[in-house]
Amino acid sequence: MKRQPHDFLAMKTVHPITMLTAYTCPVARALERAKIPVILVGDTVGMVEMGFDSTRDVTIAHMEYHVGAVRRGAPNTHIIGDLPYLTDKDPDTALHSAERLISAGADSIKLEGAKTDVIAHLVNSGIPVVGHTGLTPQTAQNFKQVGKVEQEAQQIKRDAHAIQQAGAFMLVLEHIPYSLAADITGHLSIPTIGIGAGPDCDGQVLVINDALGLGDYWPPFSKQYAHASDTLVNVANAFRDEVTQRVFPINIIPLTGTGSR
Ligand code: KIV
C-alpha cells in the first residue's frame, strides 16, 4: 500500500526509512518490486542521466516527464518530485510548479533550502513538502561537506527547525558532519533522511545510478552495490562480436517475456 506522510512520521525512531531516486519507468518498477517505500525523482537526473554539469539546468518540464515515467512504473509507491532551480523562487511560482509535478504523478514535493514562506504556502494549499538542508546543490559553489564550522552548523540547525516549523513532513540532510545530523535528528519530530550525513538519521537516500554503479563519478558518501556500467560495456562488446561474426541472430533462445513488444 502506498505510504503517506503520516506513515513516514510514524516510522521516525521506529523503523529506518529507505529512499532511492528513480528517473525511469523500469527502474521505478524494480524499486516497487523491492518494496522501497519512497522514491525521489530528484533533479540529480540532470547530472546522472542528462549529462549536465549541474542540477541548475533541469527544468520543470524535464521533471514532469520523469515523474510521469516513474509513476507509471511504481503506481503504489510514494513518489517525491523535486522542484528544480528557481521553480520555487516565490510562493506562487512554487505552487504552480508543484501542481505540475503533482499532476504528473508525484505525491509530495521536495525543495532545497529554508524557504519557509514557500513551504508554508504549499502545505496550506494541500501539497505535502519534504525539506532539504545541509549541502544544497542548486546553490552550492562546490560539493564539499558543509557544517564543519560552528557558525555554519548553527545555521543548518536553525534552518532544519524552520523547515519543520513551516510544515515539512520529512527533511533530507545532505553531506554534513555525522554528529550534526544526529543532533538535528534528535531534536526534530519529523524524520530526517541522510545522504552523506551518517548513520543516526531516520533514513537514508542514495542516487540510484550511484547504487547501481552506473556512471563514472561517485560521491564520497555513495556506495556501489553493483557495477552496471561494466555490465553495459560487456553486453555491447558481446553483441558487437556476435554481429561481426554473424552469430546473432541465429539460434536465439528466448529466456523470458511474452515477445509482445
Ligand atoms: O536530487 C536528488 O537526487 C537529491 C538527493 C541527492 C537527495 O536531492
Side-chain angles (χ1 to χ4, degrees):
M1 236 201 18
K2 192 200 279 185
R3 305 294 210 298
Q4 301 299 341
H6 65 264
D7 296 312
F8 297 112
L9 286 162
M11 285 166 86
K12 185 173 171 86
T13 70
V14 176
H15 196 281
I17 299 167
T18 314
M19 183 191 293
L20 282 166
T21 72
Y23 317 105
T24 62
C25 183
V27 169
R29 197 172 282 140
L31 300 191
E32 185 159 293
R33 279 178 60 194
K35 298 190 169 44
I36 294 295
V38 50
I39 296 176
L40 169 64
V41 185
D43 63 358
T44 40
V45 68
M47 297 178 80
V48 302
E49 290 282 344
M50 301 171 81
F52 293 132
D53 290 333
S54 153
T55 57
R56 285 187 281 271
D57 294 301
V58 176
T59 66
I60 195 75
H62 293 145
M63 293 305 297
E64 276 177 308
Y65 170 91
H66 289 284
V67 167
V70 169
R71 173 51 74 210
R72 287 186 286 280
N76 301 310
T77 304
H78 188 100
I79 293 174
I80 305 169
D82 216 1
L83 286 185
Y85 184 52
L86 295 181
T87 66
D88 59 358
K89 64 181 164 67
D90 59 66
D92 287 336
T93 307
L95 181 58
H96 179 66
S97 310
E99 283 170 346
R100 286 179 65 172
L101 297 193
I102 297 285
S103 297
D107 298 295
S108 59
I109 294 301
K110 179 172 85 60
L111 60 94
E112 292 185 13
K115 300 181 184 102
T116 52
D117 52 344
V118 170
I119 296 170
H121 190 50
L122 296 185
V123 172
N124 291 335
S125 306
I127 297 183
V129 175
V130 177
H132 182 159
T133 189
L135 177 70
T136 46
Q138 290 175 6
T139 47
Q141 306 295 319
N142 56 54
F143 289 92
K144 289 194 187 129
Q145 191 183 57
V146 294
K148 277 193 280 201
V149 292
E150 188 53 24
Q151 224 182 353
E152 215 176 37
Q154 291 302 333
Q155 186 60 52
I156 294 168
K157 273 200 235 182
R158 280 194 294 275
D159 287 351
H161 283 272
I163 289 167
Q164 170 174 282
Q165 182 69 28
F169 75 92
M170 188 146 74
L171 177 64
V172 171
L173 296 175
E174 182 165 354
H175 212 193
I176 58 174
Y178 292 6
S179 55
L180 176 59
D183 185 10
I184 292 171
T185 300
H187 284 93
L188 291 188
S189 56
I190 58 172
T192 60
I193 307 294
I195 177 159
D200 296 317
C201 298
D202 297 305
Q204 300 289 330
V205 56
L206 270 186
V207 170
I208 190 69
N209 295 53
D210 298 345
L212 286 172
L214 184 59
D216 32 43
Y217 164 75
W218 314 116
F221 46 75
S222 70
K223 178 169 176 183
Q224 293 90 63
Y225 288 85
H227 302 284
S229 291
D230 294 344
T231 304
L232 273 172
V233 172
N234 292 341
V235 166
N237 278 335
F239 180 60
R240 186 207 49 233
D241 289 349
E242 290 200 356
V243 170
T244 311
Q245 293 156 21
R246 300 193 184 283
V247 174
F248 180 91
I250 317 290
N251 295 335
I252 303 174
I253 304 162
L255 292 176
T256 53
T258 58
S260 61
R261 181 158 57 92

